[in-house]
Amino acid sequence: MSTADKKGNYKLGVIYIITSAFCFALMNLFIRLSGDVPTLQKCFFRNFFALVIAVGTLIKSHTPFKIGKGNTKYLLVRSVSGGLGMVCNFYAVDHMHISDASILNKLSPFFAIIFSIFALKEIANRYEWLAVLSAFTGALFVVKPTFSSEVIPALAGVLGGLGAGLAYAYVRKLGIRGENSMIIVAFFSGFTTLMLTPYLIFNYTPMTLTQWGFLILTGFAAAGGQIFITKAYANAPAKEISVYDFSIVIFTAIFGFLFLNQIPDYLSVIGYIIIIGTAVIKWYFTVHYKKEKTV
């Protein structure tokens, strides 16, 4: 591949990952705007509509739903951890500023560093461990630990990031093993839909037409986020573009201010700066410093 082609793919990857962040920010906004629908019911419809889109994409592209040999167990781990992480994230979005919930969910790359030790036998270096420590320090400013029930949504947000981090470690393992990315998306959406079906049958809460509309939009936004992030990593390595995924915090802060009258407090802003700053420094070290060493 020529240098021009690589630059073109890199730019395309950046555009795709920022578009994905925008879609996931919209998803968080729509979750909140859907109102007092129970969290698990919101999760069900988010995944059901995403499943319809994922299966439709597979059918349109004439891709057979065939799982690679030995990959089912990794798909199950990815789906269980991702599903639990999603429930925690939705709960956090429902009970705190959506920008706070988003930044806590973006602890996932740092959790992925830890889980990659077990999933991929990839041992983190001292700079990566410092990045993990720094990111978790930033999370403390957002969580603002107390001995009251007010801290529960923030802890749920951290657990959401943990679940997503474990899921991403196994997505990477599945990618290394050559699993089709849309199969991963469809399996996750189908598994979580089935997992939440019993709850919906026995605990369904009637919804208004407006709530139905926002949940449908949640599913479309989630599917868009998954599809664009898949396209992003197909065009450029994760280590070179993943930092742009943190643009979700900017989008959710804007949406929270415009539509929900939410303004993050100064401690949360400090936490944002620490976590995003850590991600930027880690990205710079990974991409630029290592390149200089190999020249």
Side-chain angles (χ1 to χ4, degrees):
M1 183 182 291
S2 69
T3 303
D5 288 338
K6 287 182 180 179
K7 287 182 178 178
N9 282 357
Y10 173 79
K11 289 179 181 178
L12 200 57
V14 170
I15 292 170
Y16 280 143
I17 202 165
I18 292 175
T19 304
S20 168
F22 181 78
C23 288
F24 281 127
L26 280 176
M27 180 193 78
N28 286 347
L29 174 64
F30 295 145
I31 292 167
R32 192 62 177 260
L33 289 176
S34 63
D36 59 356
V37 179
T39 298
L40 292 180
Q41 189 164 315
K42 291 181 181 183
C43 291
F44 173 87
F45 285 107
R46 175 259 193 242
N47 285 286
F48 175 76
F49 293 121
L51 174 63
V52 171
I53 294 168
V55 171
T57 302
L58 287 170
I59 293 172
K60 187 177 178 180
S61 62
H62 303 289
T63 303
F65 193 91
K66 185 179 179 181
I67 297 171
K69 186 178 179 181
N71 285 347
T72 302
K73 58 186 176 183
Y74 301 124
L75 283 166
L76 286 171
V77 175
R78 180 267 182 271
S79 298
V80 171
S81 56
L84 293 175
M86 175 195 61
V87 171
C88 290
N89 179 51
F90 272 41
Y91 182 84
V93 168
D94 266 335
H95 294 86
M96 62 193 303
H97 287 186
I98 59 174
S99 55
D100 285 2
S102 295
I103 195 68
L104 293 176
N105 191 252
K106 287 305 168 189
L107 290 173
S108 54
F110 302 103
F111 278 118
I113 291 172
I114 299 171
F115 290 127
S116 291
I117 297 172
F118 308 101
L120 300 164
K121 310 302 181 188
E122 294 178 348
I123 307 300
N125 59 41
R126 59 181 177 178
Y127 300 106
E128 290 172 324
W129 284 119
L130 283 172
V132 170
L133 181 62
S134 177
F136 290 163
T137 301
L140 289 175
F141 283 90
V142 181
V143 174
K144 295 176 276 289
T146 63
F147 291 101
S148 71
S149 60
E150 292 180 1
V151 78
I152 293 175
L155 293 177
V158 174
L159 288 175
L162 185 150
L166 179 57
Y168 291 154
Y170 277 90
V171 167
R172 173 165 160 71
K173 187 177 185 71
L174 286 162
I176 292 171
R177 292 174 62 88
E179 190 59 78
N180 183 294
S181 59
M182 285 309 300
I183 293 291
I184 298 172
V185 172
F187 189 97
F188 168 69
S189 299
F191 179 88
T192 47
T193 298
L194 287 174
M195 184 176 71
L196 293 166
T197 296
Y199 172 86
L200 190 76
I201 292 172
F202 295 106
N203 299 279
Y204 176 76
T205 299
M207 299 185 293
T208 66
L209 190 61
T210 300
Q211 288 173 324
W212 272 105
F214 280 126
L215 286 181
I216 291 171
L217 288 172
T218 297
F220 276 103
Q226 288 181 323
I227 290 168
F228 280 115
I229 203 166
T230 301
K231 286 179 176 290
Y233 291 134
N235 281 274
K239 66 179 181 180
E240 294 185 9
I241 63 172
S242 59
V243 70
Y244 295 99
D245 197 24
F246 282 85
S247 58
I248 188 176
V249 180
I250 298 171
F251 294 133
T252 49
I254 292 171
F255 292 156
F257 175 74
L258 291 177
F259 300 103
L260 302 170
N261 198 30
Q262 295 179 348
I263 302 176
D265 62 29
Y266 76 96
L267 288 175
S268 288
V269 172
I270 291 172
Y272 299 173
I273 292 170
I274 293 173
I275 295 171
I276 296 174
T278 299
V280 171
I281 292 169
K282 181 179 178 295
W283 164 78
Y284 183 86
F285 175 82
T286 301
V287 176
H288 294 277
Y289 180 72
K290 288 188 175 180
K291 277 185 179 179
E292 291 172 4
K293 287 185 71 174
T294 57
V295 172

